[in-house]
Amino acid sequence: MLNIVIFGAPGSGKGTQSENLIENYKLFHISTGDVLRDHIRRGTELGKTAKEFIDQGQLIPDELMIGILAQVIDDNKELAQNGVIFDGFPRTIPQAEALETLLNERGTSVSAVVGLEVPEQELIDRLVKRGQMSGRSDDNEETIKKRLNVYHNQTSPLQEFYKEKGLYHAIKGIGTINGIFEDIKAAIDSINAF
Ligand code: AP5
Ligand code: MG
């Protein structure tokens, strides 16, 4: 199984590059943000809770998020036979530790972490622009700033966590979408060559 964590700040291109990864490696895509937005659309209890955190640019509590992720993995065993792209998870050290346990219990592990590295102003510009077009509720300047703060304080320590395990592959996340994907592919193929 090829389990890829696509990692990066809000707006770094995790969702965009996941599309290419799905196509190229036939992996199952789990975007925790998409899972939560789907609950919000359907008006579930979880959706109501999630909306409060998302609209404040804050993370959903670890315990809740880890439970949701485990459920999605177990509900999609067939589709995930080749492996999974984790997009937006993990976002904290406890989530990363839980992911390790979850995968180990299922006889597998994280194969590589692809870290999309994009300058801060470019992230803001991309998200403001998307907010004007798509109307995603957390794509306004105030919430974008909060999301970036949360990323720096709670999520970016995972770079070190995965570097120490030899799993982190830094990718320059600016340029054309296809050009960036070529770099991602080279990184994954270097570990997937056997
Ligand atoms: P989530 O949905 O994961 O959002 P995010 O990480 O904040 O960031 P985005 O999805 O906006 O960015 P992306 O990196 O996917 O970039 P994209 O490809 O879209 O999370 C939302 C919220 O849910 C969180 O704030 C939190 O509240 C909650 N949540 C989710 N997971 C959680 C977890 N594990 N624990 C706790 N809470 C959680 O690209 C962005 C834009 O840039 C697009 O318009 C795109 O077209 C454009 N773009 C992409 N690539 C390029 C390029 N190369 N050049 C120019 N433009 C580009
Ligand atoms: Mg995304």
Side-chain angles (χ1 to χ4, degrees):
M1 277 178 96
L2 183 65
N3 295 309
I4 306 292
V5 172
I6 186 130
F7 182 87
S12 58
K14 300 184 294 295
T16 304
Q17 294 298 336
S18 290
E19 296 297 322
N20 284 328
L21 285 164
I22 298 165
E23 177 83 19
N24 203 83
Y25 296 98
K26 312 290 175 219
L27 301 176
F28 182 64
H29 180 216
I30 303 178
S31 156
T32 43
D34 287 350
V35 171
L36 296 171
R37 282 185 291 274
D38 184 52
H39 275 274
I40 294 173
R41 254 190 309 273
R42 290 188 283 121
T44 67
E45 277 309 307
L46 171 60
K48 285 175 198 153
T49 307
K51 187 167 170 43
E52 288 176 23
F53 288 99
I54 289 179
D55 286 353
Q56 288 303 314
Q58 300 299 318
L59 299 183
I60 273 72
D62 282 337
E63 209 177 311
L64 183 58
M65 201 64 238
I66 291 163
I68 297 166
L69 183 86
Q71 188 70 50
V72 176
I73 293 179
D74 287 339
D75 285 349
N76 293 283
K77 282 197 199 99
E78 294 278 305
L79 293 171
Q81 273 174 3
N82 292 336
V84 176
I85 306 162
F86 295 95
D87 164 359
F89 190 101
R91 266 175 142 96
T92 62
I93 300 277
Q95 288 186 15
E97 288 168 345
L99 181 62
E100 204 163 278
T101 308
L102 265 166
L103 293 179
N104 289 347
E105 283 170 358
R106 288 157 183 76
T108 185
S109 59
V110 171
S111 316
V113 177
V114 170
L116 296 171
E117 302 192 348
V118 175
E120 187 104 349
Q121 192 55 50
E122 169 77 11
L123 296 170
I124 296 171
D125 292 346
R126 285 183 190 178
L127 294 176
V128 167
K129 192 168 148 207
R130 186 179 61 190
Q132 286 161 353
M133 296 188 306
S134 78
R136 206 174 111 169
S137 66
D138 56 349
D139 279 348
N140 58 75
E141 215 155 337
E142 192 191 338
T143 314
I144 291 166
K145 293 221 166 96
K146 287 187 192 161
R147 286 158 68 196
L148 289 170
N149 272 335
V150 166
Y151 171 78
H152 291 305
N153 295 329
Q154 294 178 252
T155 305
S156 67
L158 287 175
Q159 288 178 322
E160 224 24 69
F161 178 92
Y162 283 121
K163 275 180 193 165
E164 279 169 16
K165 294 181 187 294
L167 290 172
Y168 189 82
H169 299 261
I171 302 288
K172 195 168 140 226
I174 43 171
T176 66
I177 289 166
N178 286 340
I180 296 165
F181 186 63
E182 284 308 311
D183 292 343
I184 295 176
K185 215 149 66 87
I188 293 177
D189 291 345
S190 74
I191 60 118
N192 197 27
F194 44 91

